[in-house]
Amino acid sequence: MKNAAETSYQPTEDEEGVADSAASLGADGGPVATVPAEDSDQSFEEDLDAFGDDDAWLSEELSDEELAALGEEDFGDDIFSDEELFAEGDVAPVAEEPVEQVDEEAVEGTAEESFDFDDVFGEAQEEINVAEESDNVSEAAEAVSEDLAEEQTEGALVAATTAGAASANFDEPVSELDVAEFGEEEIDHRPVPRISIHAFCEAPETTTLLEKASVDRRLSKAHLTIHMGGINKAIDHFQSASTPNLIILETMVGGAEIFAKLGELAEVCDPSTKVIIIGRVNDIILYRELIRQGVSEYIVRPRSPLQIIKTIADLYVDPSAPPIGKTMAFVGARGGVGSSTLAHNVGWCSAEEFHSDTVILDLDLPFGTVSLDFDEEASAGLVEALGSPERLDDVLLDRLLQKHTDRLSLFTAPSMLDRDFDLDDQAFETVLDVVRGTAPTIVVDVPHIWTSWAKRILMTADEIVITATPDLASFRNTKNLIDILGAARPNDSSPTLIINQFDPKTSAVQAAQFAEHVGIKPAQVINWDPQLFGAAATNASPITEVNGKSKTAQSIRDLSAQLLGRNEANIAKPKFSLAGMFKKKR
């Protein structure tokens, strides 16, 4: 490839020589005919005189054998085509005289095709050396970064600059590079375990991101302490303090200085401590060297607290472990709005129509109705699990759960009033953690009470569904719930609002008023249909089984699809049969 490049493009001592050589090539890379100048006095007849006055070659006669051999030959224009003329591998002659108009694009395309990656990478160093003399490294890096972008992209960094790859200059930050935004869909539902984290920041923006991350539900178990001062502050702090599980360091420098500071920090830290560095230099060589020397991760200018949370979670979550279930907490704006009925129907729809293994937890221990809605006997399995959460494992959980169908399991409430259910707040969280490891969908029926454990379940749930009726009490309570949940969950989406028992003629509050004053548009508005809900409760059947074609059943399917992130339900449709059409009724 390199030899081909040298053959196709030979530089001359001056620019005019280069232009003259390039002018001899046409648009297709072959020779071009010479075009005479308009002001030339030489005519066509004068050109013929150049052959001399001897025209004996015109009157020379061929022999009879030669005429016979050539008699049937076709001397058309095609005989002078390139395909026939150079069929035997002859080299085409190159015109020596230049033309006035040069096809520069064709010449550039011919030269560029002869270069490969090695040539470009080899010339990168020369371009950078020239640019460094003029104090303009960024122009040289920009000239070759497009050719090397795919080969240099690796690891947690976005793309290494060519200047850093060629000269390994870590000291100059590359501020013009943009770090890709972090999508919320990339966040795992698994929370960070109970660890201690110390962060040492230098910029106020980083401090703000860490403060937002510290109040996130995924870091609710971890203890995060934020300091100002960077690596120097960390070295001084751990001279007399114990080392945490994780240290987050922000630095504005790179190169030899950062490695020297990390060496001083290693002398005062435990070997088991993990380190995350937040830096400004976006360079792949720096990243590789930091990882080689024991740094857990390197982040370039994080834009979102979720990016920091995911980086922390990746260090402490086993990648081979199965994913945990998604919790959906259903709560009513007041009592009697139908939150439990909606939760049970969404759980059944998720399991049977969307084919997602589902567990329903009825946390209204004295008055729960999940056993009535599914025609199951009330069990004390949930109370037993909450009473001894440390004993709960997969084997015990399988024994305590009630299997309603192959995909739907129930944790029914005991519905007993002869005892007090004074349970530890931590017990609910422990039971939920174990249940989330057994099924992808967890439906939590939260009673309309405001206790510490009920509040904590709502704060840590992946999805929150608030059911309200179109009256003033629900309107006020919905506004209060959304305000407190939004302040406690700044990095999560807003709760899902459902308006139930809606009657456009008699309802005191219209759906548009909820959207205007509460700030959330209702996801579903379910009309008042006492006959349908009454038939479902009496028969202990889900609404989609009682009347699957009703608007209410379709609203439940749409809500289930929204919460699960699905498009449509996998509903088994009956097959068409001609025999059934003509089958006689008996």
Side-chain angles (χ1 to χ4, degrees):
M1 182 67 71
K2 186 174 182 181
N3 295 332
E6 295 176 354
T7 303
S8 62
Y9 182 78
Q10 290 291 342
T12 59
E13 297 179 355
D14 54 281
E15 297 180 356
E16 294 180 358
V18 177
D20 293 342
S21 300
S24 62
L25 300 179
D28 58 351
V32 296
T34 304
V35 180
E38 294 180 359
D39 57 351
S40 178
D41 297 333
Q42 186 177 9
S43 62
F44 179 72
E45 290 78 10
E46 295 175 349
D47 292 336
L48 292 178
D49 294 340
F51 291 98
D53 297 334
D54 187 9
D55 55 355
W57 62 278
L58 294 174
S59 60
E60 183 178 358
E61 297 182 0
L62 299 176
S63 62
D64 295 338
E65 296 178 358
E66 292 176 341
L67 290 174
L70 299 175
E72 297 179 359
E73 293 289 335
D74 184 11
F75 290 89
D77 296 336
D78 295 337
I79 192 173
F80 299 105
S81 63
D82 294 341
E83 181 179 359
E84 297 290 341
L85 190 60
F86 308 113
E88 299 298 331
D90 296 337
V91 179
V94 180
E96 297 181 356
E97 297 183 10
V99 295
E100 294 182 357
Q101 296 181 354
V102 180
D103 193 348
E104 297 179 357
E105 295 181 357
V107 175
E108 292 178 359
T110 306
E112 289 176 359
E113 291 176 358
S114 62
F115 287 98
D116 58 359
F117 177 80
D118 296 334
D119 295 331
V120 175
F121 190 82
E123 292 183 4
Q125 181 64 45
E126 298 179 3
E127 294 182 28
I128 294 170
N129 293 337
V130 175
E132 286 179 348
E133 296 177 359
S134 59
D135 297 330
N136 193 5
V137 181
S138 60
E139 294 182 1
E142 185 178 359
V144 292
S145 60
E146 295 182 358
D147 296 328
L148 306 179
E150 296 182 359
E151 285 78 7
Q152 293 175 350
T153 302
E154 182 176 349
L157 300 182
V158 179
T161 62
T162 308
S167 61
N169 182 13
F170 304 132
D171 297 328
E172 183 175 353
V174 186
S175 58
E176 65 270 17
L177 292 179
D178 292 332
V179 179
E181 293 292 342
F182 190 80
E184 185 178 357
E185 63 275 4
E186 300 179 27
I187 286 292
D188 190 7
H189 299 297
R190 190 186 305 273
V192 176
R194 300 185 185 278
I195 58 174
S196 58
I197 307 172
H198 281 246
F200 297 86
C201 307
E202 293 188 4
E205 296 81 5
T206 306
T207 303
T208 303
L209 288 178
L210 288 172
E211 289 176 351
K212 292 181 179 180
S214 63
V215 298
D216 191 271
R217 58 185 175 85
R218 302 168 188 87
L219 285 181
S220 59
K221 297 180 180 180
H223 180 69
L224 175 60
T225 304
I226 303 175
H227 308 271
M228 294 298 296
I231 300 181
N232 293 329
K233 178 65 176 179
I235 296 173
D236 296 338
H237 179 78
F238 294 119
Q239 293 284 351
S240 57
S242 59
T243 306
N245 302 106
L246 175 63
I247 299 176
I248 301 177
L249 301 173
E250 183 182 15
T251 178
M252 301 292 185
V253 299
E257 184 176 354
I258 186 175
F259 292 108
K261 294 296 183 182
L262 289 176
E264 297 180 18
L265 180 63
E267 296 178 357
V268 296
C269 290
D270 296 335
S272 60
T273 300
K274 299 181 183 295
V275 178
I276 296 177
I277 295 181
I278 299 176
R280 302 285 174 156
V281 180
N282 190 9
D283 195 288
I284 192 66
I285 298 180
L286 174 61
Y287 171 76
R288 289 173 177 173
E289 185 63 23
L290 289 172
I291 298 300
R292 190 182 68 85
Q293 295 197 15
V295 174
S296 301
E297 191 55 270
Y298 180 75
I299 311 175
V300 183
R301 293 175 302 169
R303 304 287 182 86
S304 169
L306 295 179
Q307 186 177 359
I308 299 177
I309 295 171
K310 183 181 184 301
T311 304
I312 298 174
D314 290 343
L315 298 179
Y316 291 93
V317 174
D318 184 8
S320 61
I324 62 174
K326 185 177 184 180
T327 57
M328 309 173 184
F330 288 74
V331 63
R334 64 172 181 83
V337 297
S339 176
S340 296
T341 302
L342 190 62
H344 303 163
N345 279 273
V346 168
W348 190 92
C349 186
S350 300
E352 300 304 315
E353 295 193 0
F354 286 91
H355 298 171
S356 176
D357 293 345
T358 305
V359 178
I360 300 178
L361 284 81
D362 190 353
L363 299 184
D364 191 355
L365 301 180
F367 302 106
T369 59
V370 68
S371 58
L372 297 176
D373 287 344
F374 291 101
D375 194 18
E376 297 283 352
E377 294 184 2
S379 171
L382 180 57
V383 176
E384 182 179 347
L386 293 173
S388 303
E390 68 281 355
R391 296 178 51 247
L392 188 62
D393 54 11
D394 295 343
V395 178
L396 181 59
L397 179 65
D398 187 66
R399 185 175 64 85
L400 297 178
L401 283 174
Q402 294 176 265
K403 295 287 278 187
H404 182 69
T405 63
D406 293 338
R407 295 185 178 273
L408 180 61
S409 300
L410 308 176
F411 244 149
T412 61
S415 302
M416 296 184 300
L417 301 180
D418 56 350
R419 57 172 299 182
D420 296 331
F421 300 101
D422 188 12
L423 301 172
D424 185 16
D425 297 351
Q426 186 63 36
F428 290 89
E429 184 177 354
T430 303
V431 171
L432 272 177
D433 288 343
V434 177
V435 174
R436 294 178 73 183
T438 61
T441 305
I442 312 299
V443 176
V444 185
D445 183 7
V446 182
H448 183 67
I449 55 176
W450 198 245
T451 59
S452 58
W453 62 264
K455 179 180 178 181
R456 185 170 182 81
I457 288 176
L458 293 177
M459 298 300 182
T460 58
D462 298 317
E463 297 286 346
I464 302 176
V465 181
I466 300 176
T467 305
T469 50
D471 52 62
L472 294 178
S474 292
F475 184 78
R476 179 201 63 186
N477 296 345
T478 300
K479 182 68 168 61
N480 293 337
L481 279 172
I482 291 176
D483 289 344
I484 192 172
L485 292 175
R489 296 160 55 94
N491 304 321
D492 291 273
S493 58
S494 301
T496 302
L497 176 61
I498 306 297
I499 305 298
N500 193 22
Q501 304 175 12
F502 179 74
D503 189 345
K505 296 182 179 179
T506 61
S507 297
V509 182
Q510 299 297 317
Q513 292 178 300
F514 274 90
E516 180 180 358
H517 296 282
V518 175
I520 296 179
K521 182 180 180 181
Q524 297 292 334
V525 178
I526 301 177
N527 292 330
W528 173 247
D529 193 350
Q531 295 182 351
L532 177 60
F533 282 91
T538 302
N539 298 326
S541 300
I543 292 176
T544 52
E545 288 288 304
V546 175
N547 188 356
K549 297 182 179 180
S550 63
K551 293 183 178 180
T552 302
Q554 187 59 42
S555 297
I556 292 175
R557 293 191 184 99
D558 295 340
L559 177 59
S560 302
Q562 176 183 343
L563 296 176
L564 293 174
R566 305 282 187 87
N567 293 327
E568 59 183 6
N570 299 322
I571 302 176
K573 299 181 180 180
K575 296 182 180 180
F576 178 75
S577 176
L578 291 175
M581 298 178 59
F582 301 100
K583 187 177 181 180
K584 296 181 180 180
K585 297 182 180 180
R586 295 181 180 180

